[in-house]
Amino acid sequence: MRDTIAGIATALGEGGVAIVRISGEQAITLFTQAFRAQRRTPPYESHRLMYGHVVDASGAPIDEAMGVVMHAPNTYTREDVCELHTHGGHAAAQTTLQRVLALGARPAEAGEFTRRAFMNGRLDLAQAEAVMGVIGARSQAALKAEQALLAGGASRFIHTAQASLITLIAGVEAHLDYPDEIDETEATAALRQGLHTLQQTLNAAVDERGARILRQGLRVALCGKPNAGKSTLFNALLGEDRAIVTAIPGTTRDVLEGSMSLGGLQVLLMDTAGLRDSEDTVERIGVARARDAIAAADVALLLVDASTPLDADARALLTQPMPCPCAVLLSKGDAAPLITAEEIAALCGHTPILTVSAVTGHGLADVRAYLQAQAKLPQEGMLTHARHMAAAREAAAKLLQASAALDAGLPLDLAAVDLRDALWLLGRITGESVDDQLLDEIFSTFCVGK
């Protein structure tokens, strides 16, 4: 008999409600001993929320609460599950949990409820990981991606890839078992094409940049010469006065960060020190940090003061290569322009050029649209978890290895070994080929109540 476990399913701290969750064969028995419903008597109806009290061993009330009994298999873990909804805060929830533990439940380990859901077949491993992804999502875009994963989007992709791989393995094994009936040249040609197609499919599903942006946000560096309007634009995009703005060049000496939401995506803006040569030690450090920020950015916005003529320093910035996608912003568009977009285009080629005024707000919508277009988030069904992407890359590498074996004229049975290894690696994503060590590693990152 599997242990009955209990844990607090809500976050620690003060709040309106705290939930103590119980799962296992004795869940209903323990719940019945710990909870007294008003105007209802056991056995309690499944999935009906009831008002009552958590009581101690003598029957004295511990806390006013709501309680619910949920019969297997229509529960999160596919076991009998009960919940006690107490007042929020530390004391009520902990006292209720200790009461349930005293009745015979075992404290749930990190992620044990979701682990049981996986072990009982309610979720595959990719979906189980999506549970914590949903909890930890920092933006609407990240939440949407995790919900798609929880709904089985990535799992369907992996199952399709596995089916294609099984077909390839079956073709190889058919030749190995019946060499007189299935010509090796024919079998090799079909295998070669299938390997190429599947390898491309797996590699295309891995989008590390998009996955990182989805979880950590789009990193945007505002850069340019001193007094180009970077801090003013920084404040305008954030909608608050975060950066100090003065007419003195070189006011910003360090990288100042601020976060905003853009179409459901988290965007991390970085206001950087003006790029120029300086004898000032502090400013030189700021310029070095600005260049580091640009190197780490997903997108750069290079600001050029349109109210002053182009000088050698500005031309140098406009012609130097950027380590990331970049748009040129002709700033201070509310003043009389002394630089045209045509002049900038002659130096930058096909770089997008936008005219903005952080004072009047002109052009800010174009800047937001440009940033949103640069995000290029993964489409539904693509792999966005680091573990899933690593497994898919390894599987693709195995397919490449099998192709190399065919090119070298090696026997088909050697290629078949690589195909089976690739199938095993894909199974690691959904949990079909898994071991306790991997499960321990994954679920140890979960909170106890999940």
Side-chain angles (χ1 to χ4, degrees):
M1 181 181 69
R2 183 177 290 179
D3 292 345
T4 297
I5 58 173
I8 299 175
T10 44
L12 298 177
E14 296 182 3
V17 177
I19 299 175
V20 176
R21 178 175 290 162
I22 315 166
S23 181
E25 293 186 16
Q26 297 300 309
I28 296 175
T29 300
L30 303 186
F31 174 88
T32 302
Q33 294 175 269
F35 181 75
R36 292 288 181 271
Q38 184 169 305
R39 295 191 297 273
R40 295 184 183 277
T41 57
Y44 297 126
E45 183 180 351
S46 182
H47 291 80
R48 177 182 288 274
L49 194 62
M50 303 172 287
Y51 169 76
H53 291 83
V54 179
V55 297
D56 63 18
S58 68
I62 292 175
D63 188 30
E64 186 179 28
M66 304 292 288
V68 60
V69 170
M70 294 170 278
H71 293 287
N74 299 318
T75 68
Y76 183 70
T77 62
R78 283 194 173 168
E79 302 173 335
D80 287 340
V81 173
C82 299
E83 290 182 352
L84 294 162
H85 299 203
T86 71
H87 285 94
H90 181 82
Q94 283 292 339
T95 304
T96 298
L97 177 60
Q98 291 304 316
R99 169 64 173 144
V100 175
L101 297 180
L103 289 169
R106 172 177 63 77
E109 298 175 359
E112 191 168 2
F113 290 99
T114 303
R115 185 167 183 162
R116 291 192 177 197
F118 164 70
M119 298 300 293
N120 292 330
R122 183 181 178 275
L123 304 170
D124 67 24
L125 196 54
Q127 290 174 301
E129 290 172 284
V131 171
M132 280 307 294
V134 168
I135 294 172
R138 297 182 179 181
S139 67
Q140 292 179 4
L143 177 61
K144 183 179 179 180
E146 294 296 342
Q147 288 174 333
L149 179 57
L150 184 58
S155 301
R156 286 190 291 273
F157 168 79
I158 293 300
H159 291 151
T160 300
Q162 287 174 312
S164 299
L165 193 47
I166 289 171
T167 299
L168 295 178
I169 294 172
V172 172
E173 293 180 343
H175 165 71
L176 296 175
D177 292 340
Y178 307 101
D180 296 332
E181 299 179 22
I182 301 176
D183 181 69
E184 181 174 357
T185 302
E186 180 183 350
T188 301
L191 176 59
R192 195 187 305 276
Q193 180 58 44
L195 286 173
H196 178 71
T197 300
L198 186 54
Q199 182 188 347
Q200 285 189 321
T201 300
L202 290 175
N203 285 329
V206 175
D207 181 3
E208 292 188 357
R209 178 185 182 273
R212 180 183 53 74
I213 291 173
L214 198 61
R215 284 178 169 73
Q216 300 176 12
L218 183 74
R219 297 181 63 86
V220 180
L222 307 182
C223 57
K225 287 177 53 182
N227 212 28
K230 300 182 296 298
S231 296
T232 305
L233 178 64
F234 179 78
N235 289 341
L237 289 173
L238 292 180
E240 57 180 303
D241 290 331
R242 288 286 309 280
I244 297 174
V245 177
T246 73
I248 302 172
T251 300
T252 302
R253 297 295 187 96
D254 206 343
V255 178
L256 183 62
E257 297 185 349
S259 181
M260 69 177 189
S261 179
L262 185 61
L265 173 70
Q266 184 182 29
V267 176
L268 180 64
L269 293 176
M270 296 178 288
D271 181 22
T272 66
L275 299 174
R276 67 175 176 181
D277 294 329
S278 174
E279 298 300 322
D280 186 293
T281 301
V282 176
E283 187 174 0
R284 288 172 62 185
I285 294 173
V287 170
R289 292 186 178 182
R291 297 193 185 280
D292 289 341
I294 296 169
D298 300 302
V299 184
L301 299 178
L302 177 58
L303 275 73
V304 176
D305 184 354
S307 66
T308 61
L310 278 178
D311 58 17
D313 290 337
R315 291 177 184 275
L317 288 176
L318 288 167
T319 55
Q320 71 179 10
M322 278 287 186
C324 60
C326 176
V328 175
L329 270 55
L330 290 176
S331 62
K332 305 184 182 181
D334 52 298
L338 297 179
I339 301 174
T340 65
E342 289 73 20
E343 290 181 82
I344 301 297
L347 294 171
C348 299
H350 300 292
T351 301
I353 303 169
L354 306 174
T355 299
V356 300
S357 169
V359 174
T360 65
H362 171 74
L364 294 186
D366 294 334
V367 173
R368 295 187 181 98
Y370 171 76
L371 295 179
Q372 196 164 358
Q374 290 300 311
K376 297 177 183 177
L377 298 178
Q379 300 298 309
E380 184 174 340
M382 295 186 70
L383 305 178
T384 57
H385 279 228
R387 190 183 71 83
H388 304 168
M389 291 188 289
R393 281 196 307 268
E394 289 183 60
K398 288 293 182 181
L399 299 182
L400 181 61
Q401 193 168 305
S403 295
L406 295 179
D407 293 339
L410 297 177
L412 277 179
D413 55 350
L414 293 180
V417 173
D418 291 323
L419 299 186
R420 294 189 188 96
D421 287 346
L423 185 63
W424 181 84
L425 286 164
L426 293 180
R428 299 274 285 179
I429 296 175
T430 55
E432 295 165 20
S433 47
V434 73
D435 52 53
D436 287 340
Q437 182 178 355
L438 176 62
L439 294 180
D440 290 342
E441 179 182 334
I442 290 173
F443 289 109
S444 66
T445 64
F446 279 47
C447 54
V448 171
K450 272 295 180 183

